[in-house]
Amino acid sequence: ECPLCLLPQPPEAFPTLASCAHRSCRACLEQYLHIAVSESRVQVACPHCPAMLQPADVHGLLAEPALRDKYEEFLLRRLLVADPSTRWCPAPDCSYAVIAYGCAECPRLTCGREGCGTDFCYHCRQPWHPDGPCAPAPPAPSLANPAAQLVHPEDSAHGETLAQAEAEDIKVCPRCSAFIMKINDGSCNRMNCTVCGCLFCWLCLQEISDVHFLSPSGCTFWGKRPWSRTRKILWQLGMVLGAPMVISLVAGVAVPVITIGIPIYMGRKVLAGSLESSLSGCQQCLSVTSSVLLSLFVSPIITAVTVGVGVPLMLTYVYGAVVLSLCR
């Protein structure tokens, strides 16, 4: 039985995938990939797990040549937008990419698409300007105000309100400038571009690391806007002044909790396991007692390591990253 359509199928109807061991019928997989490729998604996961489908499997399951060509084009564009040396032809209706390695000193590029041949500048990515320096490129509608192009000039009374509302929901990827829409459902601000794979912050539109929302940058994991400068400074001052008291309080609570909690947890765990086994009452009592005694010996070591490593790390963060951020 296929776990997607819940219909009985012969064994040959379940193709083998190179990415994982899950099985679904060919018809369901073909429909699943048809929808994914039609939505410009090339990083397609297995319907049952996060494992990404291999390109060979996708080719074997996509029956339509047009879909296979579209998938190949999206794969290529994803690779190109991640390459900092790629330049896109600025001519209207031309999406040709020029891979321009080492062209910074000789910045004149020529589009290689048949019938185009547009000359443009490597630096400003605008049509070639031999008689003058690079002029600052006018911001694209998506970068200046993504919603501006969604509003007609004659609707100015209603347009400004609509543009402001749409601008909060539509932004662009900082790496490839693809349009990204975020549903206003209270979800987190950690965004992942499906075109180039860029991981960025929805609030500041900067590529981020895993500790971006832990730094005193004003960007919050949840929330619609970054903190104001005044709020950031007050928060940073509060962290610097209150860190010794808070860290001492946390360490004072963590020491007894870890020291007492580990033996209690291990005793309950061993007791639950022994009740399910065929051990006698005396054997159960012996196993629980030995585990608790061993935990009593190990828990002070775990407590010392946790506090000894955690406290210096927190102090380093507060009086290192926070103070430097405050000075800036």
Side-chain angles (χ1 to χ4, degrees):
E1 183 180 275
C2 173
L4 296 179
C5 63
L6 304 180
L7 295 176
Q9 305 279 355
E12 58 270 15
F14 293 84
T16 302
L17 301 177
S19 57
C20 62
H22 293 109
R23 298 289 177 267
S24 302
C25 73
R26 179 175 291 274
C28 288
L29 288 174
E30 287 179 353
Q31 184 178 7
Y32 172 68
L33 286 174
H34 184 281
I35 295 173
V37 176
S38 300
E39 294 177 350
S40 306
R41 289 188 287 121
V42 294
Q43 291 291 329
V44 187
C46 167
H48 309 285
C49 71
M52 295 297 170
L53 297 181
Q54 300 296 322
D57 291 333
V58 176
H59 274 279
L61 292 168
L62 286 175
E64 302 177 27
L67 278 180
R68 287 199 295 267
D69 293 342
K70 193 174 184 180
Y71 175 75
E72 284 290 341
E73 180 184 353
F74 289 153
L75 277 181
L76 179 60
R77 291 183 69 87
R78 182 185 177 91
L79 178 65
L80 290 174
V81 296
D83 186 350
S85 298
T86 300
R87 297 294 184 269
W88 302 89
C89 176
D93 302 324
C94 181
S95 58
Y96 198 83
V98 177
I99 302 176
Y101 289 116
C103 296
E105 296 183 2
C106 184
R108 183 174 182 175
L109 303 177
T110 302
C111 177
R113 178 171 171 263
E114 185 177 355
C116 181
T118 301
D119 293 333
F120 59 100
C121 178
Y122 171 87
H123 298 294
C124 64
R125 312 183 190 200
Q126 300 300 310
W128 179 243
H129 46 86
D131 299 326
C134 291
S142 58
L143 294 173
N145 185 356
Q149 59 186 0
L150 305 177
V151 182
H152 297 288
E154 59 269 17
D155 299 334
S156 57
H158 176 65
E160 292 184 4
T161 305
L162 178 61
Q164 182 178 1
E166 292 289 347
E168 295 180 356
D169 300 330
I170 303 175
K171 297 184 181 180
V172 293
C173 171
R175 182 185 297 173
C176 68
S177 298
F179 283 99
I180 307 290
M181 174 175 283
K182 183 176 185 291
I183 300 176
N184 189 14
D185 58 352
S187 56
C188 70
N189 292 312
R190 183 177 181 271
M191 307 296 292
N192 190 7
C193 177
T194 58
V195 178
C196 66
C198 174
L199 189 67
F200 66 95
C201 172
W202 179 258
L203 298 177
C204 65
L205 293 180
Q206 299 293 324
E207 296 193 40
I208 63 174
S209 62
D210 292 335
V211 296
H212 175 77
F213 296 105
L214 297 177
S215 63
S217 60
C219 295
T220 53
F221 199 70
W222 286 281
K224 295 184 179 180
R225 292 179 179 83
W227 285 356
S228 64
R229 179 171 177 80
T230 303
R231 188 176 180 182
K232 283 194 296 183
I233 292 176
L234 291 176
W235 173 252
Q236 292 165 5
L237 285 174
M239 289 182 67
V240 172
L241 298 177
M245 182 178 63
V246 174
I247 293 175
S248 301
L249 180 62
V250 171
V253 173
V255 169
V257 168
I258 298 176
T259 305
I260 301 174
I262 291 179
I264 295 175
Y265 171 79
M266 291 301 300
R268 291 171 62 88
K269 194 77 173 176
V270 173
L271 178 61
S274 61
L275 291 176
E276 296 176 358
S277 63
S278 58
L279 297 177
S280 63
C282 184
Q283 290 175 327
Q284 292 178 2
C285 182
L286 181 61
S287 62
V288 171
T289 304
S290 60
S291 64
V292 170
L293 290 176
L294 181 61
S295 301
L296 285 173
F297 174 75
V298 174
S299 60
I301 301 175
I302 297 177
T303 303
V305 172
T306 303
V307 175
V309 173
V311 170
L313 283 178
M314 288 190 287
L315 290 173
T316 302
Y317 170 74
V318 172
Y319 294 105
V322 175
V323 171
L324 286 176
S325 178
L326 186 61
C327 294
R328 289 199 298 267

